[in-house]
């Protein structure tokens, strides 16, 4: 089974990125042909600062690697190192009705949040379709908010296949329902845009501050508490097995502990869970040449697959 996924280098990774996307990658790379890229072209829709993008791309690569992406098991590269994606983006544009893009939810959402309306933002789903279809994957792990983009890729692929024959595999979106939406410190979906994140590679001081900011109700310390509506519990359970969750539920139901106790508990389990990754991350950032070497290794493998797809298209389009 071939699987593809990517993540924008748009800043520090948070636990929503990890449980909503990265953990799926780690699980999938063990038994599948995994393609993973850092989407630096996509990041340009929200930031055109070259130095910022360059540094964030290196940080994103270090983060992926430190969290467990194995470049020997997965094809791991920087999006801009495989230029075929831009060529396919243009070709797919000829098969993309305007109405299909006008119905895209993400474009409307981003404009509503204040991003400038431009062609890059509007045609974002076509570039994402090129990211996907260039490598003919069967599965695309995404969050619920990205399902429509995979559907758009399928629609475009069908139009191409109807015109030229079976060029593209029709991809299917894969959403892990139990962690499809990771709650933030305010209970809404964890997102940098909402400033409600708990960052993976933050300092101990920042982690404590972010966990302490989790919104709770006014239930008294001695009273039992409703774990089902508690933001602390709903974040903590992501890290816990079934037995550990039951023990935490019992603490909520017993009473005698305040939300401050549960925040300290959450702080400890987050810190312990990512301790090894944080150490690896710092080591990689001190050796950027190693990061670049790994990305170049992955780009060569990705480019080989991309060129195989493009050769089929060149024969049809006359290039």
């Amino acid at each position: 089974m071939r699987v593809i996924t990517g993540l924008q280098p748009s800043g520090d990774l948070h636990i929503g990125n990890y449980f909503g996307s990265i953990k799926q990658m780690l699980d999938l790379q063990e038994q599948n042909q995994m393609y993973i890229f850092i989407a630096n072209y996509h990041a340009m829709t929200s930031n055109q600062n070259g130095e910022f993008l360059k540094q964030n791309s290196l940080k994103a690569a270090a983060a992926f690697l430190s969290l467990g992406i194995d470049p020997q098991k997965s094809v791991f590269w920087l999006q801009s190192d495989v230029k075929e994606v831009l060529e396919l983006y243009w070709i797919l544009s000829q098969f993309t009705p305007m109405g299909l893009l006008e119905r895209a939810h993400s474009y409307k959402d981003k404009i509503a949040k204040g991003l400038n309306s431009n062609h890059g933002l509007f045609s974002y789903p076509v570039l994402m379709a090129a990211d996907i279809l260039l490598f003919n994957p069967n599965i695309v792990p995404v969050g619920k908010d990205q399902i429509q983009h995979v559907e758009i890729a399928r629609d475009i692929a069908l139009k191409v296949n109807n015109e030229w024959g079976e060029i593209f595999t029709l991809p299917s979106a894969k959403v892990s329902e139990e962690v499809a939406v990771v709650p933030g410190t305010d209970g809404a979906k964890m997102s940098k845009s909402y400033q409600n994140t708990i960052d993976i590679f933050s300092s101990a001081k920042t982690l404590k501050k972010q966990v302490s900011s989790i919104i709770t109700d006014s239930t008294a310390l001695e009273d039992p508490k409703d774990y089902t509506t508690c933001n602390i519990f709903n974040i903590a359970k992501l890290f816990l097995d079934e037995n550990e969750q039951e023990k935490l539920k019992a603490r909520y139901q017993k009473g005698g502990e305040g939300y401050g106790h549960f925040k300290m508990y959450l702080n400890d389990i987050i810190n312990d869970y990512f301790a090894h990754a944080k150490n690896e991350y710092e080591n990689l950032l001190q050796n950027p040449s190693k990061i670049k070497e790994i990305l170049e290794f992955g780009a060569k493998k990705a480019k080989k697959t991309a060129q195989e797809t493009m050769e089929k298209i060149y024969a049809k389009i006359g290039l």
Side-chain angles (χ1 to χ4, degrees):
M1 188 81 72
R2 183 174 289 181
V3 183
I4 192 166
T5 190
L7 192 68
Q8 286 195 36
S10 54
D12 295 330
L13 293 179
H14 53 73
I15 63 173
N17 299 134
Y18 179 78
F19 286 104
S21 176
I22 298 170
K23 192 173 185 301
Q24 291 185 62
M25 299 182 208
L26 301 180
D27 295 339
L28 288 166
Q29 79 173 348
E30 297 304 319
Q31 297 181 340
N32 297 276
Q33 190 178 12
M34 195 74 190
Y35 284 69
I36 305 168
F37 65 93
I38 299 169
N40 57 339
Y41 282 141
H42 286 294
M44 292 173 66
T45 61
S46 56
N47 193 302
Q48 292 83 44
N49 183 307
E51 188 58 30
F52 177 86
L53 184 58
K54 180 180 178 181
Q55 292 304 316
N56 269 19
S57 295
L58 281 176
K59 287 173 67 177
F64 272 105
L65 293 166
S66 64
L67 289 167
I69 295 303
D70 187 340
Q72 298 300 325
K73 295 178 179 178
S74 298
V75 181
F76 177 58
W77 77 101
L78 186 65
Q79 185 185 28
S80 60
D81 284 343
V82 180
K83 305 297 184 185
E84 286 83 355
V85 72
L86 293 182
E87 188 172 15
L88 182 58
Y89 163 61
W90 178 247
I91 293 168
L92 295 182
S93 294
Q94 319 313 313
F95 292 86
T96 308
M98 289 291 289
L100 188 63
L101 299 183
E102 288 167 349
R103 292 191 293 274
H105 304 313
S106 64
Y107 174 74
K108 298 173 185 176
D109 291 344
K110 289 175 181 177
I111 293 303
K113 290 174 183 174
L115 288 181
N116 291 328
S117 175
N118 57 46
H119 177 262
L121 194 62
F122 183 70
S123 63
Y124 179 106
V126 187
L127 181 55
M128 185 169 172
D131 290 323
I132 295 168
L133 300 178
L134 187 60
F135 299 98
N136 284 301
N138 309 98
I139 299 294
V140 186
V142 291
K144 284 185 176 180
D145 57 340
Q146 291 285 319
I147 292 174
Q148 188 188 40
H149 284 165
V150 180
E151 292 172 346
I152 289 172
R154 285 177 62 92
D155 288 343
I156 297 171
L158 278 168
K159 289 181 179 296
V160 174
N161 288 353
N162 287 338
E163 181 72 21
W164 289 340
E166 296 301 311
I167 300 290
F168 296 126
T169 300
L170 298 183
S172 297
K174 173 180 172 60
V175 179
S176 183
E177 290 295 333
E178 67 272 16
V179 292
V181 177
V182 176
T185 56
D186 59 356
K189 178 186 176 182
M190 188 172 289
S191 169
K192 298 182 188 74
S193 301
Y194 301 151
Q195 297 182 330
N196 65 351
T197 63
I198 297 175
D199 298 329
I200 295 172
F201 298 107
S202 62
S203 66
K205 182 178 179 180
T206 299
L207 174 62
K208 184 177 180 181
K209 182 178 179 181
Q210 290 177 333
V211 171
S212 296
S213 71
I214 296 174
I215 295 173
T216 57
D217 60 34
S218 58
T219 304
L221 182 148
E222 64 273 11
D223 294 337
K225 294 163 185 66
D226 185 358
Y227 63 84
T228 64
T229 59
C230 179
N231 295 333
I232 306 168
F233 179 86
N234 287 329
I235 295 171
K237 70 180 182 181
L238 299 169
F239 297 88
L240 305 176
D241 61 29
E242 188 173 339
N243 183 52
E244 291 167 331
Q245 286 187 42
E246 290 303 317
K247 289 180 179 179
L248 184 56
K249 289 177 185 178
R251 288 174 60 183
Y252 270 80
Q253 293 167 331
K254 182 179 179 181
E257 291 186 89
Y259 288 117
H261 296 96
F262 295 122
K263 287 179 179 180
M264 285 191 290
Y265 172 71
L266 176 60
N267 186 89
D268 288 343
I269 61 175
I270 293 174
N271 192 55
D272 290 345
Y273 191 92
F274 292 115
H276 176 72
K278 285 184 178 182
N279 186 56
E280 290 294 310
Y281 179 69
E282 292 301 325
N283 290 338
L284 282 167
L285 288 182
Q286 291 173 19
N287 192 1
S289 61
K290 182 177 181 180
I291 300 173
K292 293 175 183 177
E293 182 181 327
I294 291 170
L295 291 173
E296 289 170 2
F297 172 73
K300 286 180 182 178
K301 292 194 289 185
K303 196 173 185 68
K304 184 177 184 295
T305 304
Q307 288 173 339
E308 290 171 357
T309 301
M310 293 308 297
E311 288 298 328
K312 296 177 184 178
I313 294 172
Y314 294 152
K316 297 293 184 179
I317 206 168
L319 295 177

